[in-house]
Amino acid sequence: SVSPTATTNYTVIATASSTGCMDTGFVLVTVVASPTATITNNGSNTICTGSSALLTGSGSGNYSWSTGSTGTSITVSQTTAGTYTYSLTVTSAGNISCSDMATYTLTVVTSPAINITASSYTLCAGLASDTLIATTIPGANYVWTPGPQPNNDTIIVSPDPIGPHTYTVSVSNSLGCSGFATVTINVQAGFQTPVVTPNPANYCFGEPVQPFTCTNAAAPVGWLDNLGNVLSSSTTYTPSVTAVN
């Protein structure tokens, strides 16, 4: 048997033992170089769930990936944490097919699941602050929007003006995996101090009293006596006057 490392022409000489006659034969053994398959990754061999990695193959010939692709590169991603192995077989082109296979192992880790809770989801305008608490991940980096806010899982906000206010937090763990969460705080019109205006403020004895007007108050309005009895629900009220001796 022969194991040539390059294309080689072999000669065979046969001699008849009885007559001494000779004959010569030739055989050409063609050696085709086997391809060398390799796989490289454009990033780390550890990725987060939901993210992707680009695996690129090299080697002269036709490509066949374990995913079924026949291109020079594949983009892979996983939604479940674990260890995943991808293989590439490179087969040389031509009448003689030689092949080589390479494998690449990718580790997928879980991205952090984030939630935000608020001490209150509805506030009165200008009267209160709110505490927002995101899921605690030891050693994680917290970026709140709108900012700037402290790099912490807990912040205190005072949303203004009236209307909905949405806060978002991005949390990145030590592996660089990120999770996001949002919360909406609704700011409503708060309590307004009513203003009572007598017109005029002072009267002479016997002079008729003009109506008092209540402004800066949300409906309903209630005029009460000193016993708590409701005298009127209108924004104006004309009080009765008792003479003072």
Side-chain angles (χ1 to χ4, degrees):
S1 64
V2 294
S3 300
T5 58
T7 298
T8 304
N9 191 11
Y10 291 91
T11 302
V12 179
I13 300 174
T15 303
S17 59
S18 59
T19 63
C21 296
M22 301 174 60
D23 194 12
T24 303
F26 302 93
V27 61
L28 179 65
V29 177
T30 302
V31 177
V32 177
S34 296
T36 301
T38 60
I39 301 175
T40 57
N41 182 5
N42 68 329
S44 170
N45 62 354
T46 299
I47 64 173
C48 310
T49 52
S51 61
S52 62
L54 177 65
L55 304 183
T56 302
S58 64
S60 178
N62 300 317
Y63 286 55
S64 177
W65 294 87
S66 55
T67 60
S69 174
T70 57
T72 57
S73 62
I74 58 173
T75 300
V76 295
S77 63
Q78 298 290 341
T79 57
T80 303
T83 301
Y84 299 86
T85 300
Y86 301 90
S87 64
L88 168 65
T89 300
V90 179
T91 304
S92 59
N95 295 328
I96 301 175
S97 296
C98 300
S99 63
D100 189 33
M101 185 178 73
T103 60
Y104 189 91
T105 299
L106 193 66
T107 301
V108 180
V109 296
T110 303
S111 296
I114 305 301
N115 185 44
I116 302 175
T117 58
S119 55
S120 178
Y121 296 90
T122 302
L123 299 176
C124 293
L127 295 182
S129 59
D130 206 354
T131 301
L132 307 183
I133 303 175
T135 304
T136 300
I137 305 292
N141 184 57
Y142 292 79
V143 178
W144 292 87
T145 304
Q149 298 288 352
N151 179 13
N152 203 326
D153 60 355
T154 302
I155 63 171
I156 298 176
V157 296
S158 299
D160 188 68
I162 294 172
H165 296 261
T166 299
Y167 296 88
T168 302
V169 65
S170 171
V171 183
S172 302
N173 62 20
S174 58
L175 296 174
C177 299
S178 298
F180 304 86
T182 62
V183 66
T184 298
I185 308 301
N186 290 302
V187 178
Q188 299 180 345
F191 174 79
Q192 295 175 300
T193 302
V195 176
V196 177
T197 305
N199 185 24
N202 300 299
Y203 290 88
C204 297
F205 180 75
E207 184 179 359
V209 178
Q210 300 300 314
F212 285 14
T213 301
C214 177
T215 58
N216 197 44
V221 173
W223 297 84
L224 309 178
D225 62 14
N226 59 347
L227 299 177
N229 299 311
V230 178
L231 303 176
S232 173
S233 57
S234 173
T235 56
T236 60
Y237 176 67
T238 303
S240 59
V241 177
T242 301
V244 177
N245 294 326

